[in-house]
Amino acid sequence: MRSDPVIVIGSGLGGLAAAIRLRAMGHEVLMLEAMDQPGGRAAVFVQDGFSFDAGPTVVTASYLFDELFALVGRDRRDYIQFVPVDPFYRVVFPEGSHFDYVGDEDRLLAQIAAFSPRDVDGYRKLADHARRIFDVGYTQLVDKPFDRFTDMVKIVPDLVRLGCWRSVYSWVAQYIHDERLRQVFTFQPLLIGGNPFRAPAIYALIHWLERKWGVEFALGGTTSIIKGMVRLLGEIGVELRCSSPVTEIEVEGGKAVAVRLGSGERIRCSAVVSNADPAFVYTRLVAARHRRWNRDFVVKQKKLSMSLFVGYFGAKKTWPHLAHHTIVLGPRYRELLEDIFERKVLAADFSLYLHAPTRSDPSLAPPGHENFYVLSPVPNTLGKIDWEAKGQRYFDTILDFLDQGQLPGLKENLVTQRHITPQYFETTLRSVGGAAFGPEPRLSQSAFFRYHNRSEDVEGLYFVGAGTHPGAGMPGVLSSAKVLERVFPAPPPGQRIPVPKDSARRAAAS
Protein backbone atom coordinates (compact mmCIF):
# COMPACT_ATOMS: atom_id res chain seq x y z
CA MET A 1 0.00 0.00 0.00
CA ARG A 2 1.21 3.50 -0.82
CA SER A 3 1.50 6.16 1.86
CA ASP A 4 0.51 9.77 1.30
CA PRO A 5 2.95 11.65 -0.97
CA VAL A 6 5.75 13.92 0.13
CA ILE A 7 4.66 17.44 -0.79
CA VAL A 8 7.30 19.86 -2.05
CA ILE A 9 6.21 23.48 -1.74
CA GLY A 10 7.82 25.64 -4.41
CA SER A 11 9.46 24.69 -7.70
CA GLY A 12 12.58 26.82 -7.54
CA LEU A 13 15.94 25.15 -8.10
CA GLY A 14 16.00 23.90 -4.50
CA GLY A 15 12.54 22.39 -4.73
CA LEU A 16 13.20 20.76 -8.09
CA ALA A 17 16.49 19.30 -6.83
CA ALA A 18 14.76 18.04 -3.68
CA ALA A 19 11.98 16.38 -5.69
CA ILE A 20 14.53 14.54 -7.85
CA ARG A 21 16.45 13.32 -4.81
CA LEU A 22 13.28 12.24 -3.00
CA ARG A 23 12.11 10.34 -6.07
CA ALA A 24 15.51 8.67 -6.36
CA MET A 25 15.02 7.50 -2.75
CA GLY A 26 11.73 5.91 -3.80
CA HIS A 27 9.21 8.42 -2.44
CA GLU A 28 6.04 9.52 -4.18
CA VAL A 29 6.32 13.27 -4.65
CA LEU A 30 3.81 16.02 -5.41
CA MET A 31 5.09 19.54 -6.19
CA LEU A 32 2.95 22.61 -5.55
CA GLU A 33 3.88 25.96 -7.06
CA ALA A 34 2.11 29.22 -6.21
CA MET A 35 3.06 30.93 -9.49
CA ASP A 36 1.64 30.12 -12.92
CA GLN A 37 4.99 28.70 -14.06
CA PRO A 38 7.77 26.68 -12.40
CA GLY A 39 11.10 28.17 -11.39
CA GLY A 40 10.39 30.48 -8.45
CA ARG A 41 13.13 33.11 -8.55
CA ALA A 42 14.32 31.42 -11.76
CA ALA A 43 11.10 32.15 -13.64
CA VAL A 44 11.16 33.59 -17.16
CA PHE A 45 9.55 36.66 -18.73
CA VAL A 46 8.86 36.40 -22.47
CA GLN A 47 8.05 39.75 -24.03
CA ASP A 48 8.09 41.15 -27.58
CA GLY A 49 10.24 38.30 -28.88
CA PHE A 50 12.77 38.50 -26.03
CA SER A 51 13.30 35.87 -23.33
CA PHE A 52 14.38 37.32 -19.98
CA ASP A 53 15.56 35.17 -17.08
CA ALA A 54 13.86 36.69 -14.05
CA GLY A 55 16.50 35.72 -11.50
CA PRO A 56 19.73 33.71 -11.22
CA THR A 57 22.03 33.87 -14.23
CA VAL A 58 25.44 32.73 -12.96
CA VAL A 59 26.01 28.96 -13.12
CA THR A 60 28.83 27.57 -10.99
CA ALA A 61 29.58 24.02 -9.81
CA SER A 62 27.46 22.61 -12.63
CA TYR A 63 28.54 19.09 -11.62
CA LEU A 64 25.69 19.33 -9.08
CA PHE A 65 23.23 19.08 -11.97
CA ASP A 66 25.14 16.12 -13.37
CA GLU A 67 24.73 14.39 -9.99
CA LEU A 68 20.99 14.98 -9.94
CA PHE A 69 20.34 13.52 -13.36
CA ALA A 70 22.67 10.57 -12.73
CA LEU A 71 20.72 9.70 -9.56
CA VAL A 72 17.77 8.65 -11.73
CA GLY A 73 19.79 7.13 -14.56
CA ARG A 74 19.85 10.11 -16.90
CA ASP A 75 22.55 12.20 -18.53
CA ARG A 76 22.24 15.92 -17.85
CA ARG A 77 23.57 16.70 -21.35
CA ASP A 78 20.39 15.25 -22.85
CA TYR A 79 18.39 17.97 -21.04
CA ILE A 80 20.60 21.01 -20.40
CA GLN A 81 23.62 22.40 -22.24
CA PHE A 82 26.21 24.53 -20.43
CA VAL A 83 28.85 26.68 -22.10
CA PRO A 84 31.78 28.45 -20.40
CA VAL A 85 31.75 32.21 -19.86
CA ASP A 86 35.01 34.12 -20.30
CA PRO A 87 35.68 36.40 -18.58
CA PHE A 88 33.69 35.28 -15.57
CA TYR A 89 32.96 38.96 -14.91
CA ARG A 90 34.24 42.22 -16.30
CA VAL A 91 34.53 44.71 -13.43
CA VAL A 92 34.30 48.33 -14.62
CA PHE A 93 35.51 51.15 -12.38
CA PRO A 94 34.09 54.70 -12.27
CA GLU A 95 37.02 56.23 -14.14
CA GLY A 96 36.54 53.80 -17.05
CA SER A 97 39.25 51.19 -16.45
CA HIS A 98 38.24 47.56 -16.12
CA PHE A 99 39.45 44.22 -14.79
CA ASP A 100 38.54 40.89 -16.39
CA TYR A 101 38.00 38.39 -13.60
CA VAL A 102 38.97 35.04 -15.17
CA GLY A 103 39.89 31.53 -14.07
CA ASP A 104 43.36 31.42 -15.60
CA GLU A 105 45.89 32.48 -12.97
CA ASP A 106 48.47 33.79 -15.44
CA ARG A 107 45.89 36.16 -16.95
CA LEU A 108 44.77 37.22 -13.50
CA LEU A 109 48.32 37.92 -12.34
CA ALA A 110 49.13 39.93 -15.47
CA GLN A 111 46.14 42.19 -14.84
CA ILE A 112 46.94 42.51 -11.13
CA ALA A 113 50.50 43.51 -12.05
CA ALA A 114 49.12 46.22 -14.35
CA PHE A 115 47.00 47.63 -11.53
CA SER A 116 49.36 47.12 -8.59
CA PRO A 117 52.61 45.15 -8.95
CA ARG A 118 53.04 44.73 -5.19
CA ASP A 119 49.71 42.85 -5.02
CA VAL A 120 50.82 39.98 -7.30
CA ASP A 121 52.39 38.00 -4.47
CA GLY A 122 49.51 38.96 -2.20
CA TYR A 123 47.02 37.46 -4.63
CA ARG A 124 48.96 34.19 -4.74
CA LYS A 125 48.64 34.00 -0.95
CA LEU A 126 44.98 34.98 -1.12
CA ALA A 127 44.21 32.24 -3.66
CA ASP A 128 45.98 29.60 -1.57
CA HIS A 129 44.10 30.71 1.53
CA ALA A 130 40.79 30.65 -0.39
CA ARG A 131 41.57 27.09 -1.48
CA ARG A 132 42.10 26.02 2.14
CA ILE A 133 38.84 27.67 3.21
CA PHE A 134 37.09 25.92 0.31
CA ASP A 135 38.52 22.55 1.41
CA VAL A 136 36.77 22.96 4.76
CA GLY A 137 33.80 25.24 4.15
CA TYR A 138 32.66 23.62 0.91
CA THR A 139 34.18 20.17 0.55
CA GLN A 140 33.53 19.12 4.15
CA LEU A 141 30.53 21.16 5.25
CA VAL A 142 28.32 22.28 2.35
CA ASP A 143 26.12 19.16 2.33
CA LYS A 144 26.25 18.38 6.08
CA PRO A 145 23.24 19.13 8.31
CA PHE A 146 23.67 21.49 11.25
CA ASP A 147 20.71 20.46 13.40
CA ARG A 148 22.62 20.53 16.69
CA PHE A 149 24.84 23.11 18.29
CA THR A 150 27.50 20.44 18.75
CA ASP A 151 27.69 20.19 14.94
CA MET A 152 28.79 23.84 14.94
CA VAL A 153 31.20 23.45 17.85
CA LYS A 154 33.12 20.76 15.98
CA ILE A 155 34.05 23.09 13.14
CA VAL A 156 34.89 26.19 15.20
CA PRO A 157 38.62 25.36 15.56
CA ASP A 158 39.03 25.03 11.78
CA LEU A 159 37.12 28.24 11.14
CA VAL A 160 39.21 30.15 13.70
CA ARG A 161 42.46 28.71 12.32
CA LEU A 162 41.45 29.84 8.81
CA GLY A 163 40.49 33.32 9.98
CA CYS A 164 36.86 32.89 8.95
CA TRP A 165 35.67 35.15 11.75
CA ARG A 166 36.94 38.15 9.77
CA SER A 167 34.78 39.90 7.20
CA VAL A 168 35.41 39.08 3.55
CA TYR A 169 36.67 42.62 2.97
CA SER A 170 39.02 42.52 5.97
CA TRP A 171 40.27 39.10 4.88
CA VAL A 172 41.04 40.30 1.33
CA ALA A 173 42.62 43.54 2.61
CA GLN A 174 45.32 41.60 4.45
CA TYR A 175 46.63 40.45 1.06
CA ILE A 176 45.58 43.17 -1.42
CA HIS A 177 46.44 46.88 -1.08
CA ASP A 178 44.93 48.44 -4.21
CA GLU A 179 41.37 49.55 -3.44
CA ARG A 180 40.12 48.68 -6.93
CA LEU A 181 41.45 45.14 -6.62
CA ARG A 182 39.93 44.84 -3.15
CA GLN A 183 36.56 45.50 -4.75
CA VAL A 184 37.24 42.92 -7.49
CA PHE A 185 37.86 40.21 -4.92
CA THR A 186 35.15 41.16 -2.41
CA PHE A 187 31.95 41.71 -4.41
CA GLN A 188 31.14 37.96 -4.51
CA PRO A 189 29.12 37.87 -1.23
CA LEU A 190 26.66 40.24 -2.90
CA LEU A 191 25.76 37.37 -5.23
CA ILE A 192 24.30 35.55 -2.21
CA GLY A 193 22.83 38.57 -0.43
CA GLY A 194 25.76 39.42 1.82
CA ASN A 195 27.59 42.64 2.66
CA PRO A 196 31.33 42.09 2.03
CA PHE A 197 32.05 44.20 5.12
CA ARG A 198 29.99 41.84 7.33
CA ALA A 199 29.84 38.47 5.58
CA PRO A 200 32.36 36.11 7.24
CA ALA A 201 35.46 35.10 5.34
CA ILE A 202 34.21 31.54 4.97
CA TYR A 203 32.46 32.95 1.88
CA ALA A 204 35.90 33.50 0.37
CA LEU A 205 35.38 29.91 -0.75
CA ILE A 206 33.29 31.37 -3.60
CA HIS A 207 36.52 32.62 -5.17
CA TRP A 208 38.08 29.17 -5.24
CA LEU A 209 34.82 27.53 -6.29
CA GLU A 210 34.79 29.75 -9.38
CA ARG A 211 38.47 29.13 -10.01
CA LYS A 212 37.95 25.36 -9.69
CA TRP A 213 34.82 24.88 -11.82
CA GLY A 214 34.53 28.12 -13.75
CA VAL A 215 31.44 30.16 -14.55
CA GLU A 216 29.01 28.82 -17.13
CA PHE A 217 25.80 29.75 -18.91
CA ALA A 218 22.90 27.49 -19.82
CA LEU A 219 22.00 27.75 -23.49
CA GLY A 220 18.45 29.03 -23.66
CA GLY A 221 18.98 30.86 -20.39
CA THR A 222 18.47 29.72 -16.81
CA THR A 223 14.89 28.87 -17.73
CA SER A 224 16.28 26.01 -19.83
CA ILE A 225 17.57 24.48 -16.57
CA ILE A 226 14.08 24.70 -15.12
CA LYS A 227 12.55 23.18 -18.24
CA GLY A 228 15.09 20.34 -18.23
CA MET A 229 14.46 19.53 -14.58
CA VAL A 230 10.68 19.72 -14.99
CA ARG A 231 10.90 17.40 -17.99
CA LEU A 232 12.94 14.97 -15.91
CA LEU A 233 10.39 15.08 -13.09
CA GLY A 234 7.64 14.22 -15.54
CA GLU A 235 9.62 11.22 -16.75
CA ILE A 236 10.19 9.88 -13.24
CA GLY A 237 6.60 10.31 -12.10
CA VAL A 238 6.49 13.58 -10.15
CA GLU A 239 3.33 15.66 -10.57
CA LEU A 240 3.83 19.44 -10.68
CA ARG A 241 0.82 21.67 -10.06
CA CYS A 242 1.23 25.40 -10.77
CA SER A 243 -1.13 28.17 -9.57
CA SER A 244 -1.49 26.15 -6.35
CA PRO A 245 -0.39 28.38 -3.45
CA VAL A 246 -0.21 26.67 -0.07
CA THR A 247 -1.95 28.69 2.62
CA GLU A 248 -1.56 26.33 5.58
CA ILE A 249 0.49 23.36 6.73
CA GLU A 250 -1.76 21.30 8.99
CA VAL A 251 -0.09 19.81 12.06
CA GLU A 252 -1.50 17.01 14.19
CA GLY A 253 0.33 15.55 17.15
CA GLY A 254 3.34 17.68 16.31
CA LYS A 255 3.58 16.27 12.76
CA ALA A 256 2.82 17.77 9.34
CA VAL A 257 -0.11 15.77 7.97
CA ALA A 258 -1.65 17.91 5.20
CA VAL A 259 -1.51 21.18 3.32
CA ARG A 260 -4.36 23.46 2.40
CA LEU A 261 -4.36 25.45 -0.84
CA GLY A 262 -5.70 28.89 -1.61
CA SER A 263 -8.59 27.18 -3.40
CA GLY A 264 -9.57 25.48 -0.14
CA GLU A 265 -8.40 22.04 -1.30
CA ARG A 266 -6.82 19.90 1.40
CA ILE A 267 -4.09 17.41 0.44
CA ARG A 268 -2.81 14.81 2.88
CA CYS A 269 0.93 14.16 2.97
CA SER A 270 3.54 12.02 4.66
CA ALA A 271 5.91 15.02 4.95
CA VAL A 272 6.42 18.54 3.64
CA VAL A 273 9.59 19.87 2.02
CA SER A 274 9.49 23.63 1.64
CA ASN A 275 11.44 25.55 -0.95
CA ALA A 276 9.62 28.66 0.25
CA ASP A 277 11.13 31.30 2.54
CA PRO A 278 11.33 29.68 6.03
CA ALA A 279 10.32 32.97 7.66
CA PHE A 280 7.14 33.00 5.58
CA VAL A 281 6.43 29.33 6.25
CA TYR A 282 6.79 29.64 10.00
CA THR A 283 4.86 32.88 10.42
CA ARG A 284 2.18 32.40 7.75
CA LEU A 285 1.70 28.67 7.14
CA VAL A 286 2.28 27.03 10.54
CA ALA A 287 0.01 28.03 13.42
CA ALA A 288 1.76 29.66 16.37
CA ARG A 289 0.65 26.92 18.79
CA HIS A 290 2.83 24.44 16.91
CA ARG A 291 6.01 26.54 17.10
CA ARG A 292 8.21 26.46 20.17
CA TRP A 293 11.48 27.57 18.63
CA ASN A 294 10.55 29.61 15.56
CA ARG A 295 8.04 31.94 17.15
CA ASP A 296 7.10 35.18 15.46
CA PHE A 297 9.36 37.35 17.63
CA VAL A 298 12.33 35.04 16.97
CA VAL A 299 11.78 35.17 13.22
CA LYS A 300 11.49 38.97 13.30
CA GLN A 301 14.88 39.27 15.03
CA LYS A 302 16.75 37.80 12.08
CA LYS A 303 18.67 40.18 9.83
CA LEU A 304 17.35 39.97 6.29
CA SER A 305 19.43 40.17 3.14
CA MET A 306 19.13 43.13 0.82
CA SER A 307 16.64 43.13 -2.01
CA LEU A 308 17.04 43.81 -5.72
CA PHE A 309 15.77 46.12 -8.39
CA VAL A 310 16.00 44.28 -11.71
CA GLY A 311 15.34 45.86 -15.09
CA TYR A 312 14.85 43.81 -18.26
CA PHE A 313 15.18 45.44 -21.65
CA GLY A 314 15.73 44.68 -25.32
CA ALA A 315 17.27 46.80 -28.05
CA LYS A 316 17.37 46.75 -31.86
CA LYS A 317 21.15 47.07 -31.77
CA THR A 318 24.05 44.95 -30.55
CA TRP A 319 27.15 45.83 -28.52
CA PRO A 320 29.69 43.09 -29.43
CA HIS A 321 32.39 44.58 -27.19
CA LEU A 322 30.35 43.84 -24.06
CA ALA A 323 31.17 40.91 -21.77
CA HIS A 324 28.49 38.39 -20.81
CA HIS A 325 28.64 39.51 -17.13
CA THR A 326 29.65 43.07 -16.27
CA ILE A 327 29.91 44.57 -12.79
CA VAL A 328 29.71 48.37 -13.05
CA LEU A 329 30.99 49.83 -9.78
CA GLY A 330 29.78 53.20 -8.56
CA PRO A 331 31.82 55.96 -6.92
CA ARG A 332 31.12 54.64 -3.41
CA TYR A 333 31.62 51.09 -2.14
CA ARG A 334 31.43 50.77 1.64
CA GLU A 335 29.13 53.79 1.96
CA LEU A 336 26.68 52.51 -0.66
CA LEU A 337 26.52 49.13 1.07
CA GLU A 338 25.78 50.90 4.36
CA ASP A 339 22.90 52.71 2.65
CA ILE A 340 21.53 49.41 1.37
CA PHE A 341 22.03 47.09 4.34
CA GLU A 342 21.95 49.34 7.39
CA ARG A 343 20.34 52.72 6.66
CA LYS A 344 17.94 51.13 4.15
CA VAL A 345 17.68 54.23 2.01
CA LEU A 346 17.62 54.47 -1.78
CA ALA A 347 20.88 56.18 -2.70
CA ALA A 348 21.30 58.53 -5.65
CA ASP A 349 24.24 56.45 -6.92
CA PHE A 350 24.40 52.73 -7.56
CA SER A 351 26.55 49.77 -8.56
CA LEU A 352 25.12 47.49 -11.24
CA TYR A 353 25.33 43.97 -12.57
CA LEU A 354 24.68 43.97 -16.32
CA HIS A 355 23.81 40.63 -17.89
CA ALA A 356 24.06 40.25 -21.66
CA PRO A 357 22.91 36.66 -22.34
CA THR A 358 22.78 37.19 -26.11
CA ARG A 359 26.55 37.42 -25.96
CA SER A 360 26.48 33.62 -25.48
CA ASP A 361 23.10 32.76 -27.00
CA PRO A 362 21.70 35.13 -29.69
CA SER A 363 18.48 33.09 -29.87
CA LEU A 364 17.22 34.85 -26.74
CA ALA A 365 16.43 37.96 -28.81
CA PRO A 366 15.17 38.60 -32.36
CA PRO A 367 17.90 38.67 -35.05
CA GLY A 368 20.12 41.73 -34.77
CA HIS A 369 18.74 42.58 -31.34
CA GLU A 370 20.25 42.41 -27.85
CA ASN A 371 18.70 41.14 -24.62
CA PHE A 372 19.70 42.64 -21.23
CA TYR A 373 19.07 42.34 -17.52
CA VAL A 374 20.43 44.99 -15.16
CA LEU A 375 20.41 44.44 -11.42
CA SER A 376 20.87 47.01 -8.68
CA PRO A 377 21.15 45.95 -5.01
CA VAL A 378 18.63 47.97 -3.00
CA PRO A 379 17.20 47.90 0.54
CA ASN A 380 14.57 45.31 1.40
CA THR A 381 11.04 46.48 2.13
CA LEU A 382 11.89 47.31 5.73
CA GLY A 383 13.28 50.48 4.16
CA LYS A 384 9.73 51.70 3.41
CA ILE A 385 10.59 52.93 -0.10
CA ASP A 386 7.58 53.74 -2.27
CA TRP A 387 8.51 51.65 -5.29
CA GLU A 388 5.17 52.30 -6.99
CA ALA A 389 6.18 55.94 -7.24
CA LYS A 390 9.93 55.53 -7.67
CA GLY A 391 10.38 52.29 -9.63
CA GLN A 392 10.11 53.56 -13.19
CA ARG A 393 12.07 56.74 -12.43
CA TYR A 394 14.84 54.62 -10.92
CA PHE A 395 14.89 52.42 -14.02
CA ASP A 396 15.00 55.48 -16.28
CA THR A 397 18.02 56.78 -14.34
CA ILE A 398 19.79 53.44 -14.81
CA LEU A 399 19.02 53.37 -18.54
CA ASP A 400 20.33 56.94 -18.91
CA PHE A 401 23.51 55.91 -17.09
CA LEU A 402 24.02 52.89 -19.36
CA ASP A 403 23.29 54.99 -22.46
CA GLN A 404 26.11 57.34 -21.46
CA GLY A 405 28.54 54.53 -20.61
CA GLN A 406 28.37 50.83 -21.29
CA LEU A 407 25.63 50.95 -23.93
CA PRO A 408 25.97 54.09 -26.08
CA GLY A 409 22.89 54.60 -28.23
CA LEU A 410 20.71 52.45 -26.00
CA LYS A 411 17.86 54.91 -25.49
CA GLU A 412 17.23 55.46 -29.20
CA ASN A 413 17.31 51.70 -29.87
CA LEU A 414 15.24 50.53 -26.91
CA VAL A 415 12.27 48.40 -28.01
CA THR A 416 10.95 46.75 -24.84
CA GLN A 417 11.39 46.97 -21.08
CA ARG A 418 9.99 45.84 -17.74
CA HIS A 419 11.22 45.78 -14.16
CA ILE A 420 10.70 44.22 -10.75
CA THR A 421 11.21 45.79 -7.32
CA PRO A 422 11.44 44.45 -3.75
CA GLN A 423 7.64 44.32 -3.77
CA TYR A 424 7.86 41.47 -6.29
CA PHE A 425 9.99 39.47 -3.87
CA GLU A 426 7.62 40.18 -1.00
CA THR A 427 4.33 39.48 -2.79
CA THR A 428 4.85 37.22 -5.81
CA LEU A 429 7.74 35.25 -4.32
CA ARG A 430 6.37 35.43 -0.76
CA SER A 431 9.72 36.40 0.75
CA VAL A 432 9.40 38.16 4.11
CA GLY A 433 10.62 41.76 3.96
CA GLY A 434 11.16 41.47 0.23
CA ALA A 435 14.57 39.93 0.98
CA ALA A 436 16.01 38.52 -2.23
CA PHE A 437 18.19 35.90 -0.49
CA GLY A 438 16.51 35.13 2.84
CA PRO A 439 18.54 35.79 6.01
CA GLU A 440 21.65 37.88 5.47
CA PRO A 441 24.76 35.63 5.45
CA ARG A 442 26.42 36.84 8.63
CA LEU A 443 28.47 34.69 11.02
CA SER A 444 25.53 34.71 13.44
CA GLN A 445 23.20 33.45 10.69
CA SER A 446 25.31 30.71 9.09
CA ALA A 447 25.36 26.91 9.52
CA PHE A 448 23.62 26.04 12.84
CA PHE A 449 22.42 29.64 13.20
CA ARG A 450 20.58 29.56 9.86
CA TYR A 451 17.11 28.03 9.52
CA HIS A 452 17.59 24.29 9.89
CA ASN A 453 16.95 21.89 7.02
CA ARG A 454 14.85 19.79 9.42
CA SER A 455 12.33 21.74 11.47
CA GLU A 456 12.81 21.58 15.22
CA ASP A 457 9.16 22.57 15.69
CA VAL A 458 7.22 20.28 13.38
CA GLU A 459 8.03 16.66 12.66
CA GLY A 460 7.99 15.95 8.94
CA LEU A 461 8.69 19.56 7.91
CA TYR A 462 11.94 20.18 6.00
CA PHE A 463 13.52 23.10 4.18
CA VAL A 464 15.62 23.55 1.06
CA GLY A 465 16.60 26.70 -0.80
CA ALA A 466 18.31 29.99 -0.08
CA GLY A 467 16.87 30.50 3.41
CA THR A 468 18.25 27.34 4.95
CA HIS A 469 21.75 25.83 5.24
CA PRO A 470 24.08 26.22 3.36
CA GLY A 471 22.52 29.37 1.89
CA ALA A 472 21.86 31.27 -1.31
CA GLY A 473 23.49 30.99 -4.72
CA MET A 474 23.03 28.14 -7.15
CA PRO A 475 25.58 25.77 -5.50
CA GLY A 476 24.15 26.49 -2.06
CA VAL A 477 20.54 25.94 -3.10
CA LEU A 478 21.35 22.69 -4.92
CA SER A 479 23.45 21.52 -1.97
CA SER A 480 20.55 22.13 0.42
CA ALA A 481 18.81 19.25 -1.36
CA LYS A 482 21.86 17.06 -0.66
CA VAL A 483 21.54 17.99 3.03
CA LEU A 484 17.86 17.02 2.84
CA GLU A 485 18.85 13.60 1.56
CA ARG A 486 20.89 13.08 4.75
CA VAL A 487 18.06 13.92 7.17
CA PHE A 488 14.98 12.66 5.31
CA PRO A 489 13.93 9.07 6.10
CA ALA A 490 13.78 6.41 3.42
CA PRO A 491 10.34 5.03 2.47
CA PRO A 492 9.00 2.27 4.74
CA PRO A 493 9.66 -1.29 3.56
CA GLY A 494 7.37 -2.26 0.73
CA GLN A 495 6.44 1.34 -0.10
CA ARG A 496 9.46 2.30 -2.19
CA ILE A 497 8.33 3.33 -5.68
CA PRO A 498 10.96 2.47 -8.33
CA VAL A 499 12.10 5.20 -10.71
CA PRO A 500 11.06 4.51 -14.32
CA LYS A 501 13.96 3.60 -16.59
CA ASP A 502 15.09 5.88 -19.38
CA SER A 503 13.23 4.12 -22.19
CA ALA A 504 14.36 6.61 -24.84
CA ARG A 505 18.03 5.98 -24.05
CA ARG A 506 17.54 2.22 -24.01
CA ALA A 507 15.80 2.38 -27.39
CA ALA A 508 18.59 4.49 -28.86
CA ALA A 509 21.21 2.11 -27.51
CA SER A 510 19.47 -0.90 -29.00
Side-chain angles (χ1 to χ4, degrees), residues 47-48 50 52 311-319 354 368-374 392 395-403 407-419:
Q47 180 172 302
D48 298 329
F50 296 82
F52 301 107
Y312 312 88
F313 57 100
K316 56 182 180 181
K317 181 182 186 304
T318 63
W319 288 263
L354 180 63
H369 291 59
E370 195 92 90
N371 170 332
F372 292 102
Y373 153 143
V374 62
Q392 186 58 52
F395 194 14
D396 290 340
T397 301
I398 290 173
L399 292 173
D400 287 339
F401 174 81
L402 294 173
D403 184 82
L407 301 173
L410 168 64
K411 296 294 288 293
E412 64 188 45
N413 288 285
L414 198 63
V415 295
T416 192
Q417 63 170 282
R418 66 185 296 160
H419 66 270

Side-chain angles (χ1 to χ4, degrees), residues 275-295:
N275 187 202
D277 175 18
F280 180 89
V281 171
Y282 280 125
T283 60
R284 301 284 296 277
L285 303 187
V286 178
R289 66 182 181 277
H290 301 304
R291 292 183 277 120
R292 177 185 176 191
W293 298 100
N294 293 283
R295 300 180 182 181

Side-chain angles (χ1 to χ4, degrees), residues 165-175 186 196-197:
W165 49 270
R166 308 178 70 155
S167 73
V168 168
Y169 186 89
S170 172
W171 179 82
V172 168
Q174 69 183 318
Y175 296 114
T186 60
F197 293 92

Side-chain angles (χ1 to χ4, degrees), residues 170-190:
S170 172
W171 179 82
V172 168
Q174 69 183 318
Y175 296 114
I176 302 295
H177 296 88
D178 186 273
E179 179 57 28
R180 294 167 300 174
L181 294 179
R182 286 179 175 180
Q183 294 178 34
V184 167
F185 297 117
T186 60
F187 76 80
Q188 288 79 10
L190 288 163

Side-chain angles (χ1 to χ4, degrees), residues 110-124:
Q111 291 182 88
I112 292 170
F115 273 77
S116 175
R118 67 173 177 163
D119 284 330
V120 170
D121 187 57
Y123 174 76
R124 288 193 178 100

Side-chain angles (χ1 to χ4, degrees), residues 8 15 23 62 109 112 128 136 145 151 155 233 236 267 283 292 309 343 357-358 414 428 430 477 481 491 499 506 509:
V8 177
R23 243 342 252 114
S62 63
L109 293 177
I112 292 170
D128 180 67
V136 173
D151 297 328
I155 69 169
L233 288 174
I236 61 178
I267 306 174
T283 60
R292 177 185 176 191
F309 177 95
R343 290 188 282 271
T358 32
L414 198 63
T428 302
R430 307 202 294 180
V477 165
V499 173
R506 290 204 318 272

Side-chain angles (χ1 to χ4, degrees), residues 256-477:
V257 297
V259 301
R260 193 170 294 277
L261 307 185
S263 63
E265 181 183 1
R266 181 178 184 270
I267 306 174
R268 288 193 56 83
C269 61
S270 59
V272 173
V273 176
S274 175
N275 187 202
D277 175 18
F280 180 89
V281 171
Y282 280 125
T283 60
R284 301 284 296 277
L285 303 187
V286 178
R289 66 182 181 277
H290 301 304
R291 292 183 277 120
R292 177 185 176 191
W293 298 100
N294 293 283
R295 300 180 182 181
D296 288 6
F297 77 91
V298 174
V299 172
K300 289 178 181 177
Q301 288 175 352
K302 293 189 180 292
K303 295 285 187 180
L304 299 178
S305 71
M306 85 286 199
S307 194
L308 303 172
F309 177 95
V310 189
Y312 312 88
F313 57 100
K316 56 182 180 181
K317 181 182 186 304
T318 63
W319 288 263
H321 67 280
L322 204 66
H324 186 116
H325 301 294
T326 302
I327 307 294
V328 185
L329 293 171
R332 301 183 305 150
Y333 191 52
R334 184 193 297 263
E335 296 82 0
L336 177 60
L337 293 171
E338 286 293 312
D339 284 345
I340 295 168
F341 283 89
E342 305 304 321
R343 290 188 282 271
K344 292 184 171 56
V345 297
L346 187 61
D349 59 325
F350 39 67
S351 289
L352 304 173
Y353 159 56
L354 180 63
H355 180 227
T358 32
R359 189 62 55 248
S360 299
D361 187 353
S363 71
L364 295 172
H369 291 59
E370 195 92 90
N371 170 332
F372 292 102
Y373 153 143
V374 62
L375 177 155
S376 176
V378 295
N380 56 45
T381 57
L382 299 182
K384 308 300 182 186
I385 297 165
D386 184 356
W387 284 107
E388 289 291 333
K390 296 184 177 181
Q392 186 58 52
R393 292 205 303 269
Y394 191 70
F395 194 14
D396 290 340
T397 301
I398 290 173
L399 292 173
D400 287 339
F401 174 81
L402 294 173
D403 184 82
Q404 296 164 18
Q406 299 302 306
L407 301 173
L410 168 64
K411 296 294 288 293
E412 64 188 45
N413 288 285
L414 198 63
V415 295
T416 192
Q417 63 170 282
R418 66 185 296 160
H419 66 270
I420 60 173
T421 73
Q423 292 173 327
Y424 172 84
F425 290 90
E426 185 169 54
T427 56
T428 302
L429 297 179
R430 307 202 294 180
S431 180
V432 171
F437 304 90
E440 181 186 339
R442 297 185 174 202
L443 192 60
S444 59
Q445 296 188 157
S446 299
F448 172 79
F449 302 113
R450 206 164 181 84
Y451 287 109
H452 295 172
N453 304 87
R454 174 169 46 192
S455 174
E456 56 271 75
D457 286 318
V458 179
E459 182 185 352
L461 174 59
Y462 302 83
F463 291 94
V464 293
T468 188
H469 171 70
M474 209 172 285
V477 165

